[in-house]
Amino acid sequence: MVIQGAGQVIMVAMRTVNLIVGLGNPGAEYTGTRHNIGFAVVARLAERYGARFKEARCRALVAVIRVGGAAVTLALPQTFMNLSGQAVGPLLRELALSPAQMMLVYDDLDLPLGRIRLLPRGSSGGHRGVESVIAAVGTADFPRLRVGIGRPPGGGDAAAYVLSRFAPEEEELVQAVCELAVATLDCVLREGLVQAMNKFNRRR
């Protein structure tokens, strides 16, 4: 990814991520579905740091990890995917953070399973959960980690596909991409967004 202008590079490099939000649907019936891979990644990041989602704030389950002495809040909205902004907007306000200090983690149909894409900003790309967040916070200028789930084979129904579970033969790749996504987020927190983009955007 080429970032235009030295001033912009400096601005992106100086961003500090203090909130990481994984998008998904609450409830056991949605666990393990393609649409919930954002939940899975953020939950795995919490596990890496020995943190638990044991507190509910602003219609989200939250956990706090410490990275280099700084507190980072991890959140899993409990509003259902298409209403994610109803949790994210109030949570940002309660934490007194700007949208630019938030990282959104979510599934992406346009990336094949096994691929990730870390970006400093962008559109919703038609993702209803991201659309809800953008509407709630008033800007699309926040970092996001897109985790590929691929498109349904044979041009099948995308709505049904994202709510389906991964096939057994996909599980090894799912576990690998979740680990890759967690490593990417860890790099963002420790080394910054630009370093993480340079290191991880081309990996599979």
Side-chain angles (χ1 to χ4, degrees):
M1 174 180 179
V2 177
I3 301 177
Q4 299 285 335
Q8 188 177 9
V9 170
I10 293 172
M11 179 190 71
V12 171
M14 289 176 63
R15 284 183 174 176
T16 301
V17 171
N18 300 102
L19 171 65
I20 299 177
V21 180
L23 296 189
N25 287 307
E29 65 268 37
Y30 296 105
T31 300
T33 60
R34 297 171 192 274
H35 225 15
N36 273 37
I37 201 165
F39 267 20
V41 168
V42 176
R44 190 170 296 202
L45 179 64
E47 183 180 336
R48 173 173 288 192
Y49 281 87
R52 291 185 179 180
F53 291 92
K54 57 184 179 181
E55 181 184 359
R57 295 169 65 182
C58 301
R59 302 179 70 184
L61 296 178
V62 301
V64 178
I65 63 175
R66 300 199 72 85
V67 183
V72 179
T73 301
L74 310 181
L76 305 176
Q78 300 297 290
T79 55
F80 288 96
M81 177 68 83
N82 294 357
L83 301 175
S84 297
Q86 293 182 7
V88 175
L91 190 56
L92 276 177
R93 290 191 289 273
E94 182 174 304
L95 296 172
L97 298 175
S98 71
Q101 292 173 284
M102 170 185 68
M103 173 73 68
L104 210 61
V105 184
Y106 56 93
D107 59 293
D108 196 304
L109 285 163
D110 292 324
L111 287 175
L113 182 63
R115 295 294 300 272
I116 61 169
R117 188 71 172 164
L118 181 64
L119 298 168
R121 63 183 63 80
S123 69
S124 69
H127 191 292
R128 295 292 181 83
V130 182
E131 285 178 2
S132 176
V133 172
I134 292 172
V137 305
T139 181
D141 187 17
F142 52 80
R144 69 277 311 278
L145 178 62
R146 297 159 46 198
V147 184
I149 59 170
R151 287 200 168 269
D157 180 57
Y161 178 74
V162 297
L163 294 177
S164 68
R165 286 178 167 78
F166 293 100
E169 61 269 23
E170 295 176 308
E171 277 301 325
E172 184 176 351
L173 189 51
V174 171
Q175 296 305 313
V177 78
C178 284
E179 283 299 312
L180 176 62
V182 167
T184 303
L185 294 172
D186 200 41
C187 185
V188 169
L189 296 174
R190 294 180 180 278
E191 301 181 39
L193 188 60
V194 170
Q195 281 288 90
M197 287 192 294
N198 290 338
K199 286 185 176 182
F200 290 96
N201 270 347
R202 296 185 179 277
R203 291 191 185 180
R204 178 183 172 90

